[in-house]
Amino acid sequence: AACLLASVVQGFDVDGCTSVVVSAGATVDGSAFASHANDCADCDWRVVYVPAKDHEKGSKRIVYDAVWSQYPRLVDTSRSKQYAAGAGINSSKILGSIPQVEHTYALWEASYGLMNEHGLGLGESTCPAFLVGKSVADGGNDLFSIGNLMNIALERCKTARCAIKLMGELGSKYGFYGEDPGIAGGGEAVSLVDKTGEAWVFHISGGVPNDDPAAPWAGQRGALWVAQRVPEGHVAVIANSNIIRRVDVHDSENFLAHPGLLELVQEAGLWDGTGPFDWQLALQPDLGTFSYFPGLAPIPMYSTLRMWGIYRQAAPNAGLKATPVLNDFPFSVPVDKKVTTLEVMQWFRTHYEGTEFDMRLGSLAGPWQTPNRAEGGQGAKTMPGQFARATSIPRTSYTVLLQSGISHPIAWFAPDASASSVFVPFFSAALSEGGDGNFDLESYGTGSMKSFSFITKPDGMAPAWWAHDFVANWMDLSYQNMSETYVYPAVQRVQRRVVEEAAAAIKESAGKSTPESAATLATAQSRIQRGVVTEWWQMAEMLIVRYNDQFFNFGESAPQSVASIGYPSFWLEMIGYNQEFYRPHWLQPAYQPPSLLPVQDLQALAAHGTDIQTPEEAQATSVVPDLRSGWTASAVAAACVLSAGLGHVIGYRRGSSVRAHAEDDYRKLTA
């Protein structure tokens, strides 16, 4: 059994991430956002300070295997003191090297590079691609994966345009390969913002190899790439799919591309050269029929539902529908109204609440109405299907918002699943002299998901990631009750405070010398970070007591009482619960949701055309017998089987007009 479990886990080594790009014209304060929900089951989530450095002429920049993501993701203390050996790993695999530049910039780095001292910020999302490179580590000729390209861009560039050209040129010259195997992970997307306020989307895929030195574009065939600027007032969403459509290589204001792009895609047989060139259609398979996760059935809504989920919040008037057809979605859409930083954060926290895809409803949500889903496993291979995929999922390692185009750019970092996490600031200015990369190293820069302890040294603090991860997992004991009573209100309250404290720190730093300003911001971010992780561990301690043994224990309004939570009535109705449940019961799908589902949920379902019975109608038509009525044992058994068959609902349909926002502290955040 252990071997089987190991093989199943290894078979799901795919990291599907979400990235949202917001142009400066779409925000209230004129800032631009890139972002990255790093959905990785085994990643090293530490934030690392990489200092600026001068390098000798003729020196080399080592290129490590960046596909390795577990702790420690890198062993190289010359890059950062934090990159020491650990967990039995004493070295990192070297793939090769390239010429080093004389000076490299300071940056914040996690599993991927985040932001440098000049406010250049990058996010990532893996995409399918027909052109698949092969790493030198696997016997191929390609040196670069996207993680290395992003890091080098942050080391050497101040602007998004510089980063795009550098990543494209390095990939083309030295070869590019995807982080995930085969076509499913053959490409990559990077979202970029800089201090000028420009916002871009960059796509890259494997190249078109040809060893003939006389071949067209010799020395530049290791990768194909293209980038498009996000129009002012627009938002773009990358959810593991290429989103750039028609490419105008002559419009250098809005497009950047490999100089031989159109010629090489024709040589590769991906475009016939007639009509406008569409990167998405040419370079990527149809997600409606393609198996994104090898060995599993196609999941066409895997990308598009996340895209729709963001667009419905940013631009509901755009009229976009939730559809499995990727090319129904444009590259970007204009926002209905300018958005705040808090609203962008909130986009990453929802599970389609209030829509027909509400992940808190239906059989997979269980009795506690959890939006979390268990991915992969042998069951998914045996019984093909798909469930909704949110931007916040259990294996989210961290989410980062890269906010630039303002005087003090910020990398907002939220450990673990963003739905139950708080974004804390990492100021780009704190990377420079005076700030010296100071932050709450103990909470955000140390630790590993490979080890955990409840015991900390005196006056010490366990990692922020474990605090948020523990709360997120503990919530599944009683998700609806715990989330709505404690966790979601705390997320909103603390997040508002953090944003206000960050703004106050920026105001305090104004008028000071550059080193003094950097020191002020570094001190402030350390204080804010420690405050959040302290509060989250305190909440974790409280939740252990409050929901121990699935009771509600010693609540604030009744500190001497223990109350029952129990199974919700709608769930018991749904499974046909009765006097015979001392035996195992087996269920089948039903065509109606349970009549005892909360009224607001039933009303919403009815709005989408679901046939709803009132509790009275359900009681009148129920086939579950009263055991006191003298029914025979055989009649009772037959009725119970029929009841169980009718009682179970596959209920992921839910209406859009549910819980009044004024009464829902989790969803009313708008400022």
Side-chain angles (χ1 to χ4, degrees):
C3 292
L4 174 61
L5 178 59
S7 67
V8 170
V9 171
Q10 291 169 3
F12 195 75
D13 187 19
V14 177
D15 304 334
C17 306
T18 309
S19 183
V20 179
V21 196
V22 187
S23 69
T27 63
V28 170
D29 62 2
S31 62
F33 286 90
S35 61
H36 183 187
N38 185 34
D39 299 329
C40 173
D42 63 354
C43 276
D44 177 357
W45 32 258
R46 294 174 297 164
V47 176
V48 166
Y49 163 59
V50 178
K53 290 183 180 179
D54 293 320
H55 306 275
E56 293 184 3
K57 286 186 177 181
S59 61
K60 296 290 186 179
R61 201 283 189 186
I62 295 174
V63 178
Y64 291 100
D65 177 11
V67 173
W68 175 260
S69 58
Q70 293 183 17
Y71 172 87
R73 60 180 178 259
L74 178 63
V75 178
D76 183 356
T77 53
S78 68
R79 181 169 180 80
S80 172
K81 294 178 181 179
Q82 294 174 249
Y83 283 137
I89 297 171
N90 298 313
S91 63
S92 293
K93 183 184 297 184
I94 296 176
L95 302 184
S97 64
I98 64 172
Q100 182 60 284
V101 295
E102 293 186 12
H103 180 78
T104 51
Y105 303 130
L107 63 133
W108 299 118
E109 179 173 277
S111 296
Y112 299 81
L114 306 178
M115 178 176 278
N116 69 14
E117 62 184 286
H118 297 290
L120 174 64
L122 309 182
E124 179 271 351
S125 180
T126 301
C127 303
F130 286 123
L131 300 177
V132 179
K134 189 175 184 180
S135 167
V136 296
D138 297 324
N141 299 314
D142 300 319
L143 182 62
F144 282 108
S145 62
I146 199 63
N148 277 318
L149 290 178
M150 292 169 66
N151 287 343
I152 293 176
L154 289 169
E155 292 167 15
R156 302 182 179 187
C157 288
K158 296 181 180 180
T159 67
R161 289 177 182 267
C162 169
I164 289 165
K165 292 176 182 178
L166 180 60
M167 290 190 294
E169 290 168 0
L170 290 176
S172 299
K173 181 176 181 178
Y174 295 98
F176 169 83
Y177 64 96
E179 292 185 335
D180 291 336
I183 292 175
E188 284 286 352
V190 177
S191 57
L192 306 93
V193 292
D194 62 29
K195 207 167 181 179
T196 72
E198 287 198 357
W200 288 78
V201 172
F202 169 81
H203 288 320
I204 188 169
S205 78
V208 186
N210 189 329
D211 295 331
D212 184 355
W217 305 106
Q220 301 180 66
R221 302 174 69 97
L224 297 184
W225 60 274
V226 69
Q228 182 174 351
R229 185 177 177 180
V230 179
E232 287 302 309
H234 280 231
V235 59
V237 183
I238 313 157
N240 302 122
S241 57
N242 293 274
I243 65 170
I244 295 178
R245 304 298 305 278
R246 293 186 176 185
V247 178
D248 184 352
V249 295
H250 303 294
D251 180 5
S252 60
E253 182 65 22
N254 296 297
F255 290 93
L256 297 170
H258 186 296
L261 174 64
L262 300 184
E263 187 175 347
L264 290 172
V265 291
Q266 290 181 74
E267 180 182 326
L270 299 177
W271 182 52
D272 62 7
T274 62
F277 172 65
D278 187 315
W279 173 278
Q280 182 190 97
L281 293 181
L283 272 292
Q284 173 174 298
D286 180 2
L287 298 184
T289 57
F290 176 72
S291 178
Y292 184 81
F293 294 112
L296 301 181
I299 45 176
M301 298 290 279
Y302 186 77
S303 290
T304 57
L305 193 57
R306 276 179 285 161
M307 296 171 71
W308 172 81
I310 299 295
Y311 286 139
R312 77 177 182 90
Q313 300 175 82
N317 291 333
L320 296 175
K321 304 297 183 183
T323 167
V325 182
L326 180 62
N327 59 21
D328 283 350
F329 291 86
F331 167 73
S332 64
V333 300
V335 296
D336 283 6
K337 65 178 182 65
K338 293 188 176 185
V339 297
T340 66
T341 299
L342 287 169
E343 286 176 312
V344 177
M345 292 172 175
Q346 195 69 358
W347 291 349
F348 284 89
R349 291 191 176 116
T350 61
H351 303 95
Y352 313 113
E353 288 89 349
T355 78
E356 60 184 304
F357 306 103
D358 194 328
M359 296 179 71
R360 303 167 306 158
L361 297 182
S363 54
L364 289 179
W368 317 121
Q369 296 183 266
T370 174
N372 296 324
R373 302 289 183 265
E375 296 178 290
Q378 193 60 43
K381 295 181 179 180
T382 305
M383 294 293 293
Q386 65 175 320
F387 46 71
R389 202 306 202 166
T391 51
S392 174
I393 59 177
R395 63 179 167 89
T396 301
S397 179
Y398 62 82
T399 301
V400 62
L401 306 183
L402 297 316
Q403 184 180 21
S404 196
I406 49 178
S407 60
H408 288 291
I410 304 173
W412 294 97
F413 187 88
D416 199 59
S418 49
S420 50
S421 188
V422 173
F423 292 89
V424 297
F426 284 80
F427 293 102
S428 67
L431 292 162
S432 58
E433 180 185 358
D436 302 320
N438 290 320
F439 68 106
D440 188 355
L441 177 64
E442 185 179 36
S443 296
Y444 286 86
T446 60
S448 158
M449 67 184 303
K450 292 181 176 179
S451 62
F452 172 80
S453 176
F454 281 108
I455 302 173
T456 59
K457 61 185 178 182
D459 300 320
M461 182 65 65
W465 187 88
W466 273 118
H468 289 84
D469 181 75
F470 179 85
V471 169
N473 280 275
W474 192 256
M475 288 168 71
D476 276 338
L477 285 175
S478 188
Y479 196 96
Q480 183 192 35
N481 192 304
M482 209 180 304
S483 65
E484 296 187 1
T485 304
Y486 292 109
V487 180
Y488 287 173
V491 167
Q492 303 309 315
R493 172 178 49 79
V494 176
Q495 190 67 79
R496 285 190 181 94
R497 186 190 75 213
V498 165
V499 170
E500 290 169 357
E501 290 177 351
I506 292 173
K507 185 176 181 179
E508 181 186 352
S509 71
K512 296 183 178 181
S513 68
T514 298
E516 290 175 332
S517 176
T520 297
L521 294 174
T523 299
Q525 71 183 19
S526 300
R527 182 184 67 251
I528 293 169
Q529 293 159 5
R530 178 54 62 102
V532 169
V533 68
T534 299
E535 187 160 351
W536 235 246
W537 276 121
Q538 290 171 344
M539 183 165 64
E541 294 169 349
M542 179 272 293
L543 293 175
I544 290 174
V545 173
R546 195 72 76 245
Y547 292 90
N548 183 43
D549 293 334
Q550 294 189 310
F551 286 86
F552 190 82
N553 307 298
F554 316 117
E556 293 82 351
S557 61
Q560 310 303 324
S561 300
V562 172
S564 296
I565 296 176
Y567 290 107
S569 57
F570 81 85
W571 176 263
L572 296 176
E573 178 193 13
M574 188 171 91
I575 65 174
Y577 181 72
N578 58 35
Q579 292 284 4
E580 295 292 313
F581 261 64
Y582 54 82
R583 295 189 180 94
H585 275 57
W586 310 101
L587 313 175
Q588 294 179 350
Y591 295 100
Q592 289 184 332
S595 63
L596 296 178
L597 200 66
V599 173
Q600 62 269 29
D601 295 333
L602 287 172
Q603 291 173 341
L605 287 167
H608 278 265
T610 303
D611 187 17
I612 304 295
Q613 284 185 317
T614 66
E616 292 76 16
E617 291 171 336
Q619 180 67 28
T621 58
S622 174
V623 295
V624 180
D626 183 344
L627 294 182
R628 297 168 297 178
S629 65
W631 281 39
T632 64
S634 59
V636 169
C640 288
V641 170
L642 181 57
S643 172
L646 293 175
H648 184 52
V649 61
I650 300 297
Y652 91 142
R653 297 188 60 201
R654 189 174 193 260
S656 59
S657 55
V658 297
R659 312 180 189 278
H661 285 211
E663 299 177 0
D664 191 334
D665 193 37
Y666 176 51
R667 298 181 195 87
K668 68 182 181 182
L669 176 61
T670 58

